[in-house]
Amino acid sequence: MNNIAIITARSGSKGLKDKNIKPLHNKPLIYYSINAAIESKMFSHVMVSTDSERYAEIARECGAEVPFLRSSQMSSDTAGSWDVVKEVLGGYTERFDTVCLLQPTSPLRTAEDIINGYREFTEKGADAVTGVCEMDHSPLWSMTLDDTLSLTEFRRGLTDAPRQKLPTYYRINGALYIRKINYNGGINILDTNEYAFIMDRGRSVDIDNIDDFNYAEFLMGENNNV
């Protein structure tokens, strides 16, 4: 298969300033996704989509290619990730069998995760494989609250089963999205026949704020993954 990895790294993060290039163990955050993609040897191209020439230069120094910058239309807060992917694919004359979307905010995802994700993709004959991880706490122990903060209704429906007896719930972790591409009548990202790729919670950290960043930094230090 001819595969492309696309790492989306828009500038101007509001939650954590310049988080995509913020130094994590002395390397820009984006480095870890680029390096995992390159080390996996699954891709003919490892491309960073960014609206910033500064980010682009850092990405190139980390080993990625940035043949063009993201359009202004795809640089807004409302632009969807798959619209960005389609824009990137449209910028290449080469055609690809699959695209792997790697968010730079998942720095603990490894080359082995990517390789195993593609192995599952092939074994399942899938259109799509998406990274997931087990939830920290069962949603059966979750609730919404109204202005009164009353727990009465919640307590009535709360299960008293021990944690070990509860079903296991998973969440999409944002670390790995593999999709088949179809070029008939345009660029089509396929996801009908989709499977979950289960990843360890420790490699599923998704950095959105400074607490997430500090936690990732701690885990990297614990695992000597620097």
Side-chain angles (χ1 to χ4, degrees):
M1 292 188 296
N2 187 18
N3 311 316
I4 182 173
I6 299 176
I7 299 160
T8 51
R10 185 173 65 91
S11 64
S13 169
K14 294 181 174 63
L16 184 60
K17 182 176 173 57
D18 283 329
K19 69 179 176 183
N20 289 324
I21 58 170
K22 184 176 174 62
L24 178 63
H25 281 284
N26 300 316
K27 295 183 178 78
L29 182 63
I30 196 173
Y31 162 84
Y32 296 97
S33 294
I34 294 170
N35 189 59
I38 293 171
E39 285 195 345
S40 75
K41 299 182 180 178
M42 295 299 302
F43 307 105
S44 58
H45 298 271
V46 175
M47 190 275 185
V48 168
S49 171
T50 183
D51 57 334
S52 163
E53 185 56 51
R54 178 186 173 209
Y55 280 32
E57 185 56 35
I58 292 171
R60 295 184 188 109
E61 290 172 358
C62 292
E65 60 187 62
V66 190
F68 47 82
L69 293 183
R70 191 183 301 188
S71 69
S72 58
Q73 183 180 2
M74 289 295 111
S75 300
S76 69
D77 291 337
T78 58
S81 294
W82 294 112
D83 291 327
V84 172
V85 167
K86 286 183 178 180
E87 179 182 72
V88 170
L89 295 175
Y92 283 84
T93 56
E94 186 176 352
R95 291 194 169 190
F96 303 96
D97 297 301
T98 76
V99 58
C100 183
L101 173 61
L102 301 172
Q103 297 186 150
T105 49
S106 299
L108 285 95
R109 172 226 307 106
T110 65
E112 186 177 5
D113 288 324
I114 296 171
I115 292 167
N116 289 336
Y118 265 98
R119 181 177 293 120
E120 181 171 310
F121 179 87
T122 301
E123 290 174 351
K124 297 284 191 183
D127 291 332
V129 163
T130 300
V132 305
C133 66
E134 186 177 339
M135 295 184 67
D136 294 339
H137 303 287
S138 173
L140 298 178
W141 290 345
S142 302
M143 73 195 83
T144 59
L145 290 170
D146 60 22
D147 293 341
T148 69
L149 305 184
S150 172
L151 287 173
T152 302
E153 291 302 318
F154 174 71
R155 287 291 185 187
R156 285 173 182 163
L158 182 64
T159 177
D160 58 359
R163 179 179 58 82
Q164 295 83 355
K165 297 290 186 180
L166 296 176
T168 302
Y169 283 81
Y170 297 87
R171 64 173 177 84
I172 292 174
N173 65 4
L176 184 70
Y177 300 88
I178 300 170
R179 299 290 186 269
K180 187 180 290 185
I181 307 168
N182 182 294
Y183 287 92
N184 294 330
I187 299 172
N188 303 296
I189 310 297
L190 306 184
D191 61 4
T192 301
N193 187 29
E194 183 180 10
Y195 292 88
F197 174 64
I198 299 174
M199 291 174 55
D200 181 80
R201 280 205 304 257
R203 299 196 307 279
S204 297
V205 175
D206 185 11
I207 295 176
D208 186 54
N209 55 47
I210 191 61
D211 291 333
D212 300 332
F213 188 91
N214 291 338
Y215 183 49
E217 193 166 45
F218 166 76
L219 289 177
M220 279 189 166
E222 286 285 294
N223 299 327
N224 294 316
N225 186 19
V226 296

